[in-house]
Amino acid sequence: QILFRSNILQKIIKQEATVIFVAFCEDLPFFILNFYGLIKQNVKFALLLSFAFNAMSLGYKICVTKGFFANLQELGDLKQSITNILNHKKENQNQNKIKIRSTIVPLTES
């Protein structure tokens, strides 16, 4: 169940990383250009509409960034849990071997 959750988180992180990449490479430059156009007093309805939709898209992608870092933290915690479980199983196996060896008592005749 932990491995399943880990695999899902890895897929989600890849998707969110793609969204963040698109935000920096596409949305941010368009946002800056639209803002520059509004500052230059070339206010037209199409430019204002483009700026508004671009701002909403960029805002959404910034919110995705917050989820991205939260998922990275959760994935790290899951990996640590998996490591702890595997180490605990190895310790139990080693303890069982020691118990089995200690229960063998050689019989000697007196």
Short mmCIF file of all heavy atoms in Angstrom, two decimals, residues 59-110:
data_model
loop_
_atom_site.label_atom_id
_atom_site.label_comp_id
_atom_site.label_asym_id
_atom_site.label_seq_id
_atom_site.Cartn_x
_atom_site.Cartn_y
_atom_site.Cartn_z
N GLY A 59 -1.77 32.23 -11.75
CA GLY A 59 -2.15 32.03 -10.35
C GLY A 59 -2.43 30.58 -10.03
O GLY A 59 -2.00 30.06 -8.99
N TYR A 60 -3.13 29.89 -10.93
CA TYR A 60 -3.40 28.47 -10.72
C TYR A 60 -2.10 27.68 -10.67
O TYR A 60 -1.92 26.81 -9.82
CB TYR A 60 -4.30 27.94 -11.84
CG TYR A 60 -4.38 26.44 -11.87
CD1 TYR A 60 -5.13 25.75 -10.91
CD2 TYR A 60 -3.68 25.69 -12.81
CE1 TYR A 60 -5.19 24.37 -10.92
CE2 TYR A 60 -3.73 24.33 -12.82
CZ TYR A 60 -4.49 23.67 -11.88
OH TYR A 60 -4.53 22.30 -11.89
N LYS A 61 -1.19 28.00 -11.57
CA LYS A 61 0.06 27.25 -11.63
C LYS A 61 0.95 27.54 -10.42
O LYS A 61 1.72 26.68 -9.99
CB LYS A 61 0.77 27.52 -12.95
CG LYS A 61 -0.01 26.89 -14.10
CD LYS A 61 0.52 27.20 -15.45
CE LYS A 61 -0.37 26.55 -16.50
NZ LYS A 61 -0.01 26.92 -17.84
N ILE A 62 0.82 28.71 -9.86
CA ILE A 62 1.55 29.00 -8.61
C ILE A 62 0.97 28.17 -7.47
O ILE A 62 1.71 27.66 -6.62
CB ILE A 62 1.51 30.51 -8.31
CG1 ILE A 62 2.39 31.26 -9.30
CG2 ILE A 62 1.96 30.80 -6.87
CD1 ILE A 62 2.29 32.76 -9.23
N CYS A 63 -0.34 27.99 -7.46
CA CYS A 63 -0.96 27.12 -6.45
C CYS A 63 -0.52 25.68 -6.62
O CYS A 63 -0.36 24.95 -5.64
CB CYS A 63 -2.48 27.21 -6.53
SG CYS A 63 -3.13 28.80 -5.99
N VAL A 64 -0.32 25.23 -7.86
CA VAL A 64 0.17 23.88 -8.12
C VAL A 64 1.57 23.72 -7.54
O VAL A 64 1.92 22.65 -7.04
CB VAL A 64 0.16 23.59 -9.65
CG1 VAL A 64 0.94 22.33 -9.98
CG2 VAL A 64 -1.27 23.45 -10.14
N THR A 65 2.35 24.79 -7.55
CA THR A 65 3.70 24.75 -7.00
C THR A 65 3.67 24.41 -5.51
O THR A 65 4.49 23.63 -5.02
CB THR A 65 4.42 26.09 -7.23
OG1 THR A 65 4.41 26.39 -8.62
CG2 THR A 65 5.84 26.06 -6.74
N LYS A 66 2.70 24.96 -4.80
CA LYS A 66 2.56 24.65 -3.37
C LYS A 66 2.28 23.16 -3.18
O LYS A 66 2.89 22.50 -2.33
CB LYS A 66 1.44 25.49 -2.78
CG LYS A 66 1.18 25.21 -1.33
CD LYS A 66 0.00 26.02 -0.80
CE LYS A 66 -0.33 25.62 0.61
NZ LYS A 66 -1.55 26.25 1.10
N GLY A 67 1.38 22.62 -3.98
CA GLY A 67 1.08 21.19 -3.91
C GLY A 67 2.28 20.34 -4.30
O GLY A 67 2.49 19.25 -3.75
N PHE A 68 3.07 20.83 -5.25
CA PHE A 68 4.26 20.12 -5.70
C PHE A 68 5.23 19.90 -4.54
O PHE A 68 5.71 18.80 -4.32
CB PHE A 68 4.92 20.92 -6.82
CG PHE A 68 6.24 20.39 -7.29
CD1 PHE A 68 6.30 19.28 -8.11
CD2 PHE A 68 7.42 21.02 -6.92
CE1 PHE A 68 7.52 18.79 -8.56
CE2 PHE A 68 8.64 20.54 -7.37
CZ PHE A 68 8.69 19.42 -8.19
N PHE A 69 5.49 20.97 -3.80
CA PHE A 69 6.43 20.84 -2.67
C PHE A 69 5.85 19.99 -1.54
O PHE A 69 6.58 19.24 -0.88
CB PHE A 69 6.85 22.21 -2.17
CG PHE A 69 7.78 22.92 -3.11
CD1 PHE A 69 7.40 24.08 -3.74
CD2 PHE A 69 9.03 22.40 -3.37
CE1 PHE A 69 8.26 24.72 -4.62
CE2 PHE A 69 9.91 23.03 -4.26
CZ PHE A 69 9.50 24.19 -4.88
N ALA A 70 4.54 20.07 -1.34
CA ALA A 70 3.90 19.21 -0.33
C ALA A 70 4.02 17.74 -0.73
O ALA A 70 4.29 16.87 0.11
CB ALA A 70 2.44 19.61 -0.15
N ASN A 71 3.82 17.45 -2.02
CA ASN A 71 3.93 16.07 -2.49
C ASN A 71 5.37 15.57 -2.43
O ASN A 71 5.61 14.39 -2.15
CB ASN A 71 3.38 15.94 -3.91
CG ASN A 71 1.87 16.01 -3.94
OD1 ASN A 71 1.20 15.66 -2.97
ND2 ASN A 71 1.33 16.46 -5.05
N LEU A 72 6.33 16.45 -2.70
CA LEU A 72 7.73 16.05 -2.56
C LEU A 72 8.05 15.66 -1.12
O LEU A 72 8.75 14.68 -0.86
CB LEU A 72 8.66 17.19 -2.99
CG LEU A 72 8.94 17.35 -4.47
CD1 LEU A 72 9.84 18.55 -4.71
CD2 LEU A 72 9.58 16.11 -5.05
N GLN A 73 7.52 16.43 -0.17
CA GLN A 73 7.73 16.13 1.25
C GLN A 73 7.09 14.79 1.61
O GLN A 73 7.70 13.97 2.29
CB GLN A 73 7.15 17.25 2.12
CG GLN A 73 7.29 17.02 3.60
CD GLN A 73 8.72 16.99 4.07
OE1 GLN A 73 9.55 17.74 3.58
NE2 GLN A 73 9.03 16.13 5.01
N GLU A 74 5.87 14.57 1.14
CA GLU A 74 5.18 13.31 1.44
C GLU A 74 5.91 12.13 0.81
O GLU A 74 6.02 11.06 1.43
CB GLU A 74 3.74 13.37 0.93
CG GLU A 74 2.92 12.17 1.35
CD GLU A 74 1.46 12.26 0.94
OE1 GLU A 74 1.02 13.34 0.50
OE2 GLU A 74 0.77 11.23 1.06
N LEU A 75 6.43 12.30 -0.40
CA LEU A 75 7.17 11.22 -1.04
C LEU A 75 8.44 10.90 -0.25
O LEU A 75 8.78 9.73 -0.07
CB LEU A 75 7.52 11.61 -2.48
CG LEU A 75 8.25 10.54 -3.30
CD1 LEU A 75 7.38 9.30 -3.47
CD2 LEU A 75 8.65 11.10 -4.65
N GLY A 76 9.11 11.93 0.24
CA GLY A 76 10.29 11.69 1.08
C GLY A 76 9.93 10.94 2.35
O GLY A 76 10.66 10.03 2.77
N ASP A 77 8.80 11.30 2.96
CA ASP A 77 8.35 10.60 4.17
C ASP A 77 8.02 9.14 3.87
O ASP A 77 8.34 8.24 4.66
CB ASP A 77 7.13 11.30 4.78
CG ASP A 77 7.47 12.67 5.33
OD1 ASP A 77 8.67 12.97 5.53
OD2 ASP A 77 6.51 13.46 5.55
N LEU A 78 7.37 8.90 2.72
CA LEU A 78 7.04 7.52 2.35
C LEU A 78 8.30 6.69 2.10
O LEU A 78 8.38 5.54 2.52
CB LEU A 78 6.16 7.50 1.10
CG LEU A 78 4.69 7.85 1.30
CD1 LEU A 78 3.97 7.90 -0.03
CD2 LEU A 78 4.01 6.84 2.21
N LYS A 79 9.27 7.28 1.43
CA LYS A 79 10.52 6.56 1.19
C LYS A 79 11.23 6.24 2.50
O LYS A 79 11.79 5.16 2.66
CB LYS A 79 11.43 7.36 0.26
CG LYS A 79 10.97 7.35 -1.17
CD LYS A 79 11.93 8.09 -2.08
CE LYS A 79 11.47 8.02 -3.52
NZ LYS A 79 12.38 8.70 -4.44
N GLN A 80 11.18 7.17 3.44
CA GLN A 80 11.77 6.92 4.76
C GLN A 80 11.02 5.80 5.48
O GLN A 80 11.64 4.95 6.12
CB GLN A 80 11.76 8.20 5.60
CG GLN A 80 12.45 8.06 6.93
CD GLN A 80 13.93 7.74 6.79
OE1 GLN A 80 14.59 8.25 5.90
NE2 GLN A 80 14.43 6.89 7.65
N SER A 81 9.70 5.78 5.36
CA SER A 81 8.90 4.72 5.98
C SER A 81 9.24 3.36 5.38
O SER A 81 9.36 2.37 6.10
CB SER A 81 7.41 4.99 5.80
OG SER A 81 7.03 6.16 6.47
N ILE A 82 9.39 3.33 4.06
CA ILE A 82 9.74 2.07 3.40
C ILE A 82 11.10 1.59 3.88
O ILE A 82 11.29 0.40 4.18
CB ILE A 82 9.71 2.24 1.87
CG1 ILE A 82 8.28 2.45 1.38
CG2 ILE A 82 10.34 1.05 1.16
CD1 ILE A 82 8.17 2.90 -0.06
N THR A 83 12.05 2.50 3.98
CA THR A 83 13.38 2.14 4.47
C THR A 83 13.31 1.62 5.89
O THR A 83 13.95 0.61 6.23
CB THR A 83 14.31 3.37 4.40
OG1 THR A 83 14.35 3.85 3.06
CG2 THR A 83 15.72 3.02 4.84
N ASN A 84 12.53 2.27 6.74
CA ASN A 84 12.40 1.82 8.14
C ASN A 84 11.76 0.44 8.21
O ASN A 84 12.18 -0.40 9.02
CB ASN A 84 11.57 2.82 8.94
CG ASN A 84 12.30 4.12 9.17
OD1 ASN A 84 13.52 4.19 9.04
ND2 ASN A 84 11.56 5.16 9.51
N ILE A 85 10.75 0.19 7.38
CA ILE A 85 10.09 -1.12 7.39
C ILE A 85 11.06 -2.21 6.95
O ILE A 85 11.13 -3.28 7.57
CB ILE A 85 8.83 -1.09 6.49
CG1 ILE A 85 7.75 -0.24 7.15
CG2 ILE A 85 8.31 -2.49 6.22
CD1 ILE A 85 6.56 0.06 6.25
N LEU A 86 11.81 -1.94 5.89
CA LEU A 86 12.77 -2.93 5.40
C LEU A 86 13.86 -3.20 6.44
O LEU A 86 14.26 -4.35 6.65
CB LEU A 86 13.39 -2.48 4.08
CG LEU A 86 12.43 -2.43 2.88
CD1 LEU A 86 13.15 -1.85 1.67
CD2 LEU A 86 11.89 -3.81 2.57
N ASN A 87 14.35 -2.16 7.09
CA ASN A 87 15.37 -2.34 8.14
C ASN A 87 14.81 -3.13 9.31
O ASN A 87 15.50 -3.97 9.88
CB ASN A 87 15.90 -0.99 8.61
CG ASN A 87 16.79 -0.33 7.58
OD1 ASN A 87 17.32 -0.99 6.69
ND2 ASN A 87 16.95 0.98 7.69
N HIS A 88 13.57 -2.85 9.67
CA HIS A 88 12.93 -3.57 10.78
C HIS A 88 12.77 -5.05 10.44
O HIS A 88 13.00 -5.92 11.29
CB HIS A 88 11.58 -2.93 11.10
CG HIS A 88 10.91 -3.52 12.29
ND1 HIS A 88 11.38 -3.34 13.57
CD2 HIS A 88 9.80 -4.29 12.40
CE1 HIS A 88 10.59 -3.98 14.42
NE2 HIS A 88 9.62 -4.56 13.73
N LYS A 89 12.41 -5.36 9.20
CA LYS A 89 12.27 -6.75 8.79
C LYS A 89 13.62 -7.46 8.84
O LYS A 89 13.70 -8.61 9.27
CB LYS A 89 11.69 -6.85 7.37
CG LYS A 89 10.21 -6.61 7.31
CD LYS A 89 9.68 -6.80 5.89
CE LYS A 89 8.19 -6.58 5.85
NZ LYS A 89 7.64 -6.78 4.50
N LYS A 90 14.68 -6.78 8.40
CA LYS A 90 16.02 -7.39 8.44
C LYS A 90 16.44 -7.66 9.87
O LYS A 90 17.02 -8.70 10.17
CB LYS A 90 17.03 -6.48 7.75
CG LYS A 90 16.93 -6.48 6.25
CD LYS A 90 17.98 -5.56 5.64
CE LYS A 90 17.83 -5.50 4.13
NZ LYS A 90 18.80 -4.58 3.51
N GLU A 91 16.15 -6.73 10.78
CA GLU A 91 16.50 -6.93 12.19
C GLU A 91 15.74 -8.11 12.76
O GLU A 91 16.29 -8.91 13.52
CB GLU A 91 16.19 -5.67 12.99
CG GLU A 91 17.13 -4.53 12.71
CD GLU A 91 16.73 -3.25 13.43
OE1 GLU A 91 15.79 -3.30 14.25
OE2 GLU A 91 17.35 -2.22 13.17
N ASN A 92 14.46 -8.23 12.42
CA ASN A 92 13.66 -9.36 12.92
C ASN A 92 14.20 -10.69 12.38
O ASN A 92 14.24 -11.68 13.11
CB ASN A 92 12.19 -9.20 12.54
CG ASN A 92 11.49 -8.18 13.40
OD1 ASN A 92 11.99 -7.82 14.47
ND2 ASN A 92 10.35 -7.70 12.96
N GLN A 93 14.60 -10.70 11.10
CA GLN A 93 15.15 -11.93 10.53
C GLN A 93 16.45 -12.30 11.23
O GLN A 93 16.69 -13.46 11.54
CB GLN A 93 15.38 -11.77 9.03
CG GLN A 93 14.11 -11.74 8.22
CD GLN A 93 14.36 -11.44 6.75
OE1 GLN A 93 15.47 -11.08 6.38
NE2 GLN A 93 13.32 -11.56 5.94
N ASN A 94 17.29 -11.31 11.51
CA ASN A 94 18.55 -11.58 12.21
C ASN A 94 18.31 -12.06 13.63
O ASN A 94 18.99 -12.95 14.12
CB ASN A 94 19.44 -10.34 12.22
CG ASN A 94 19.99 -10.02 10.84
OD1 ASN A 94 20.06 -10.89 9.99
ND2 ASN A 94 20.37 -8.77 10.64
N GLN A 95 17.32 -11.49 14.30
CA GLN A 95 17.00 -11.92 15.66
C GLN A 95 16.45 -13.35 15.66
O GLN A 95 16.75 -14.13 16.55
CB GLN A 95 16.01 -10.96 16.31
CG GLN A 95 16.61 -9.64 16.70
CD GLN A 95 15.59 -8.68 17.27
OE1 GLN A 95 14.40 -8.98 17.32
NE2 GLN A 95 16.07 -7.52 17.71
N ASN A 96 15.66 -13.69 14.66
CA ASN A 96 15.13 -15.05 14.58
C ASN A 96 16.25 -16.05 14.35
O ASN A 96 16.24 -17.15 14.89
CB ASN A 96 14.10 -15.16 13.46
CG ASN A 96 12.80 -14.47 13.82
OD1 ASN A 96 12.51 -14.24 14.98
ND2 ASN A 96 12.01 -14.14 12.81
N LYS A 97 17.26 -15.69 13.54
CA LYS A 97 18.39 -16.57 13.32
C LYS A 97 19.16 -16.78 14.61
O LYS A 97 19.59 -17.88 14.93
CB LYS A 97 19.32 -15.99 12.25
CG LYS A 97 18.77 -16.09 10.85
CD LYS A 97 19.74 -15.48 9.85
CE LYS A 97 19.16 -15.50 8.45
NZ LYS A 97 20.08 -14.87 7.48
N ILE A 98 19.33 -15.72 15.38
CA ILE A 98 20.05 -15.82 16.65
C ILE A 98 19.27 -16.71 17.61
O ILE A 98 19.85 -17.55 18.30
CB ILE A 98 20.29 -14.42 17.25
CG1 ILE A 98 21.28 -13.67 16.38
CG2 ILE A 98 20.79 -14.52 18.68
CD1 ILE A 98 21.42 -12.20 16.75
N LYS A 99 17.96 -16.57 17.67
CA LYS A 99 17.15 -17.40 18.57
C LYS A 99 17.23 -18.86 18.18
O LYS A 99 17.33 -19.74 19.03
CB LYS A 99 15.70 -16.94 18.55
CG LYS A 99 15.46 -15.64 19.27
CD LYS A 99 14.01 -15.24 19.19
CE LYS A 99 13.78 -13.88 19.84
NZ LYS A 99 12.38 -13.46 19.73
N ILE A 100 17.19 -19.14 16.89
CA ILE A 100 17.26 -20.53 16.44
C ILE A 100 18.61 -21.13 16.80
O ILE A 100 18.71 -22.24 17.30
CB ILE A 100 17.01 -20.62 14.92
CG1 ILE A 100 15.55 -20.29 14.62
CG2 ILE A 100 17.35 -22.01 14.40
CD1 ILE A 100 15.25 -20.16 13.14
N ARG A 101 19.66 -20.39 16.61
CA ARG A 101 21.00 -20.88 16.93
C ARG A 101 21.16 -21.08 18.44
O ARG A 101 21.85 -21.98 18.87
CB ARG A 101 22.06 -19.92 16.42
CG ARG A 101 22.19 -19.91 14.92
CD ARG A 101 23.22 -18.93 14.46
NE ARG A 101 23.21 -18.83 13.00
CZ ARG A 101 23.67 -17.82 12.31
NH1 ARG A 101 24.22 -16.80 12.95
NH2 ARG A 101 23.62 -17.81 11.01
N SER A 102 20.57 -20.24 19.22
CA SER A 102 20.75 -20.34 20.66
C SER A 102 19.91 -21.46 21.26
O SER A 102 20.18 -21.91 22.36
CB SER A 102 20.41 -19.01 21.34
OG SER A 102 19.05 -18.70 21.14
N THR A 103 18.91 -21.92 20.54
CA THR A 103 18.08 -22.98 21.10
C THR A 103 18.69 -24.36 20.87
O THR A 103 18.25 -25.33 21.45
CB THR A 103 16.67 -22.95 20.51
OG1 THR A 103 16.75 -23.04 19.09
CG2 THR A 103 15.94 -21.68 20.92
N ILE A 104 19.68 -24.44 20.03
CA ILE A 104 20.30 -25.74 19.77
C ILE A 104 21.34 -25.97 20.88
O ILE A 104 22.30 -25.26 21.02
CB ILE A 104 20.99 -25.75 18.39
CG1 ILE A 104 19.94 -25.53 17.29
CG2 ILE A 104 21.75 -27.06 18.18
CD1 ILE A 104 20.53 -25.39 15.92
N VAL A 105 21.05 -26.97 21.66
CA VAL A 105 21.94 -27.30 22.77
C VAL A 105 22.54 -28.69 22.49
O VAL A 105 21.80 -29.65 22.31
CB VAL A 105 21.16 -27.31 24.10
CG1 VAL A 105 22.05 -27.71 25.24
CG2 VAL A 105 20.50 -25.99 24.32
N PRO A 106 23.83 -28.76 22.46
CA PRO A 106 24.42 -30.08 22.20
C PRO A 106 24.23 -31.00 23.41
O PRO A 106 24.33 -30.57 24.57
CB PRO A 106 25.90 -29.77 21.95
CG PRO A 106 26.12 -28.44 22.60
CD PRO A 106 24.81 -27.72 22.57
N LEU A 107 23.91 -32.21 23.12
CA LEU A 107 23.73 -33.19 24.19
C LEU A 107 25.06 -33.91 24.43
O LEU A 107 25.69 -34.40 23.50
CB LEU A 107 22.66 -34.21 23.81
CG LEU A 107 21.24 -33.65 23.64
CD1 LEU A 107 20.32 -34.73 23.14
CD2 LEU A 107 20.72 -33.08 24.94
N THR A 108 25.43 -33.92 25.64
CA THR A 108 26.66 -34.63 25.99
C THR A 108 26.31 -35.73 26.97
O THR A 108 25.44 -35.57 27.83
CB THR A 108 27.69 -33.70 26.60
OG1 THR A 108 27.12 -33.09 27.76
CG2 THR A 108 28.11 -32.62 25.62
N GLU A 109 27.00 -36.80 26.87
CA GLU A 109 26.75 -37.90 27.80
C GLU A 109 27.68 -37.75 28.99
O GLU A 109 28.86 -37.47 28.87
CB GLU A 109 27.02 -39.23 27.12
CG GLU A 109 26.00 -39.52 26.07
CD GLU A 109 26.24 -40.89 25.45
OE1 GLU A 109 26.84 -41.77 26.08
OE2 GLU A 109 25.81 -41.04 24.31
N SER A 110 27.13 -37.97 30.17
CA SER A 110 27.98 -37.87 31.33
C SER A 110 28.27 -39.20 31.94
O SER A 110 27.73 -40.19 31.76
CB SER A 110 27.39 -37.01 32.44
OG SER A 110 26.15 -36.52 32.25
#
